[in-house]
Amino acid sequence: MSDGLENVVAAQTVLSEVDGAAGRLILRGHALEDIAGHTDFAQAVRLMFDGFFPDLPSDADLAAALGLARVEVFGEVAALDKTLVSRSPTEALRALMARLADGDDLATALRLLAAPAVFTPAIVRAQRGLAPLAPDAALPHAQDILRMMSGKTTGTKQAAALDAYLVTVCDHGLNASTFAARVVASTRAGLTSAVLAGLSALKGPLHGGAPGPVIDMLDEIGDAAHAKAWLEAALERGDRLMGFGHRIYRVRDPRADALKRAIRKLDATAGRLAYAEAVEAAALAILRERKPNRSLQTNVEFYTALLLEALAFPPDTFTCVFAMGRTIGWLAHAREQIAGGKLVRPQSIYIGPMPKQAA
Ligand code: ACO
């Protein structure tokens, strides 16, 4: 038996490969660094969905269909009541997404891609006492997300940075949320059910819930000169340093550098980036010293936090923004599982008491 299914192969996929020893991520035949920063959201959807939906349109038509899907799901925002607004954004997002009908077709998939993009800005605005802004179907996906958040037309630099982020996180092998999505898809429950399983798994702090706490850590440390003492005290308490360590990567997560490149292209991030790099260096030195037998490196969540902060997403919505990108992977994996896979049904070893034998 393998604890946490470590090293267990549970699927064959054409979607992505994570090479943890080389620090390399391949998405459908492309190295991450060749597509992140060069591909927008709709192009990434086209790349990942190719062969999984018979009626997949061309890039331009897909961008237009995504725009219409954003408009279509906007009606669900009316269900955002006081109770949901008082919950965490991820829980509110999950509740709104659960309102979408199940199905296996491209129209269902497009609604699921549109949902976190439309619902997250609406949740943020509702928490601030502001009315939601309707999507603009004519805008590119990333630009429309930023406009629905801020109410202003955002610059192309910001939209390009958000595209770089969403493409960087769109898929990553058989991570916990993708595995959860594939298990549900294998029962033929439908794409909405599979995506909700993925979102529920992503929510945890050991997976997609880490970047918010990264900002808390940076804010609490406050000054690079205090980093060593703060980080040592955290490890003394038995805390994990958020944004470090990975099940597969034993070298640096290539997504961290893809995101750092995207942050550098934004104005006015230089000071914050330099500070974060100093904290990162201190954390890596302490982790090397304290855990010499385990190579703990910076993971995707550390620079996710800085990029999404620079784009003015509140830290408690970072997991929702992660879901905007990762939904591409959940959907493609769900379709791949349905096309070729059996029902996922592993076994367990019973270690409880046996029934008493009759005398
Ligand atoms: N800080 C301090 N110690 C750590 C960290 C960390 N970030 N990560 C792992 N360790 C230590 C563990 O305490 C453990 O030490 P021990 O052997 O002395 O008990 C050892 O390294 C191995 O830890 P495991 O939990 O067995 O390793 P696993 O491969 O399951 O962990 C995980 C991967 C969950 C990501 C872990 O590194 C972690 O908790 N990181 C912090 C949270 C985080 O950044 N999550 C985002 C991950 S990226 C993503 O999912 C998108």
Side-chain angles (χ1 to χ4, degrees), residues 355-359:
K356 295 212 166 32
Q357 296 289 331

Side-chain angles (χ1 to χ4, degrees), residues 56-189:
L56 195 64
S58 65
D59 279 353
D61 289 349
L62 188 58
L66 254 174
L68 293 176
R70 290 196 302 276
V71 172
E72 201 186 327
V73 301
F74 182 66
E76 303 297 339
V77 166
L80 199 54
D81 59 15
K82 268 193 188 152
T83 311
L84 286 186
V85 173
S86 71
R87 301 249 174 91
S88 76
T90 316
E91 287 180 46
L93 174 64
R94 192 181 55 192
L96 289 184
M97 288 187 70
R99 295 175 56 83
L100 300 178
D102 240 323
D104 282 325
D105 57 354
L106 182 64
T108 306
L110 292 176
R111 281 194 290 274
L112 288 162
L113 290 171
V118 172
F119 298 162
T120 306
I123 292 164
V124 171
R125 291 180 69 85
Q127 288 184 336
R128 292 173 180 165
L130 299 170
L133 291 172
D136 179 345
L139 283 181
H141 195 69
Q143 209 171 347
D144 203 22
I145 294 167
L146 294 172
R147 187 196 57 82
M148 285 187 279
M149 284 274 300
S150 67
K152 290 181 260 168
T153 308
T154 42
T156 45
K157 269 191 192 175
Q158 278 83 358
L162 182 55
D163 268 324
Y165 170 72
L166 297 174
V167 173
T168 297
V169 301
C170 78
D171 195 37
H172 200 239
L174 206 56
N175 59 85
S177 59
T178 300
F179 183 51
R182 282 190 82 123
V183 170
V184 173
S186 85
T187 72
R188 307 292 189 266

Side-chain angles (χ1 to χ4, degrees), residues 206-207 240-245 247 291 294 296 299 301:
L206 299 193
H207 190 9
R240 289 183 175 210
L241 304 183
M242 291 293 139
F244 297 90
R247 174 63 63 82
K291 307 273 175 189
R294 182 99 181 170
L296 295 171
N299 66 42
E301 303 289 39

Side-chain angles (χ1 to χ4, degrees), residues 273-325:
L273 187 57
Y275 165 61
E277 284 176 328
V279 173
E280 179 192 14
L284 290 174
I286 292 167
L287 287 170
R288 260 196 310 274
E289 187 187 304
R290 300 259 174 146
K291 307 273 175 189
N293 301 326
R294 182 99 181 170
S295 174
L296 295 171
Q297 303 290 332
T298 316
N299 66 42
V300 65
E301 303 289 39
F302 192 79
Y303 287 103
T304 288
L306 284 202
L307 180 59
L308 298 186
E309 178 188 63
L311 293 176
F313 287 100
D316 63 356
T317 64
F318 289 176
T319 309
C320 303
V321 188
F322 194 162
M324 292 178 198

